[in-house]
């Protein structure tokens, strides 16, 4: 199905059946939606560009154990207030600005939302070599980057 979920205001949690065969989340699939929680099936290989952009309520994003994710395309999670995001160790490329504006988002009181990205590599150089030039932790200056490899 190539339809998008964006602009759906009543959907809050997205989960898939254990035997899901979903391989890709298309461009703009959830843009501007009201989802709060998303559990990606282990079959997922690609998160398309801008697929979760400006999902201002999305704070919890998880991957099922045994994730097969290979690609996070550009602007996939732009301006999305996920609190903690762990990149599966199967990821081979991250598009430019996939996490743009992370660390610069504020809550309704104007306080910065504490966000972190957990990377399965020991340092920025290793992550850049693995993910390509789109990865650069300098574009996330207020976001905590944890190199956990």
């Amino acid at each position: 199905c190539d339809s998008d979920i964006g602009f759906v205001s009543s959907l809050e949690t997205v989960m898939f059946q254990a035997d899901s065969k979903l391989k890709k989340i298309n461009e703009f699939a959830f843009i501007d939606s009201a989802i709060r929680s998303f559990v990606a099936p282990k079959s997922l290989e690609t998160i398309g560009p801008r697929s979760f952009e400006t999902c201002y309520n999305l704070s919890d994003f998880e991957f099922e154990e045994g994730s097969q994710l290979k690609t996070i395309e550009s602007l996939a999670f732009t301006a999305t207030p996920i609190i903690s995001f762990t990149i599966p160790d199967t990821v081979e490329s991250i598009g430019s600005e996939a996490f743009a504006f992370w660390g610069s988002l504020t809550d309704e009181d104007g306080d910065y939302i504490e966000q972190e990205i957990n990377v399965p590599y020991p340092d920025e150089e290793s992550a850049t070599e693995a993910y390509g030039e789109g990865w650069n932790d300098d574009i996330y200056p207020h976001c905590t980057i944890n190199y956990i490899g």
Side-chain angles (χ1 to χ4, degrees):
C1 173
D2 286 337
S3 63
D4 297 333
I5 302 295
F7 305 109
V8 173
S9 61
S10 60
L11 183 64
E12 291 189 6
T13 300
V14 177
M15 296 177 70
F16 296 84
Q17 293 181 348
D19 60 349
S20 173
K21 304 287 188 241
L22 179 70
K23 297 283 187 196
K24 181 178 182 178
I25 297 174
N26 290 329
E27 182 175 20
F28 305 118
F30 293 92
I31 193 170
D32 291 323
S33 71
I35 59 173
R36 295 179 180 280
S37 175
F38 191 96
V39 179
K42 62 184 172 185
S43 61
L44 184 65
E45 295 178 355
T46 303
I47 297 175
R50 303 179 75 178
S51 51
F52 293 94
E53 181 178 349
T54 57
C55 289
Y56 293 121
N57 296 315
L58 182 57
S59 61
D60 184 32
F61 194 103
E62 299 176 27
F63 294 94
E64 284 184 346
E65 188 173 332
S67 173
Q68 298 172 27
L69 188 70
K70 293 181 170 82
T71 305
I72 300 172
E73 295 187 3
S74 61
L75 302 167
F77 294 97
T78 296
T80 299
I82 296 170
I83 303 302
S84 179
F85 187 93
T86 299
I87 298 170
D89 60 6
T90 55
V91 171
E92 298 169 355
S93 70
I94 296 177
S96 65
E97 299 185 24
F99 301 95
F101 300 108
W102 276 45
S104 62
L105 300 176
T106 57
D107 62 18
E108 56 276 351
D109 295 327
D111 297 322
Y112 284 107
I113 296 170
E114 296 292 325
Q115 294 179 278
E116 67 181 20
I117 301 173
N118 300 305
V119 182
Y121 287 93
D123 53 39
E124 180 184 356
E125 182 177 332
S126 299
T128 301
E129 182 176 314
Y131 299 144
E133 291 304 314
W135 176 261
N136 177 343
D137 70 7
D138 292 338
I139 63 176
Y140 314 113
H142 303 291
C143 180
T144 301
I145 307 290
N146 299 313
Y147 292 99
I148 57 176

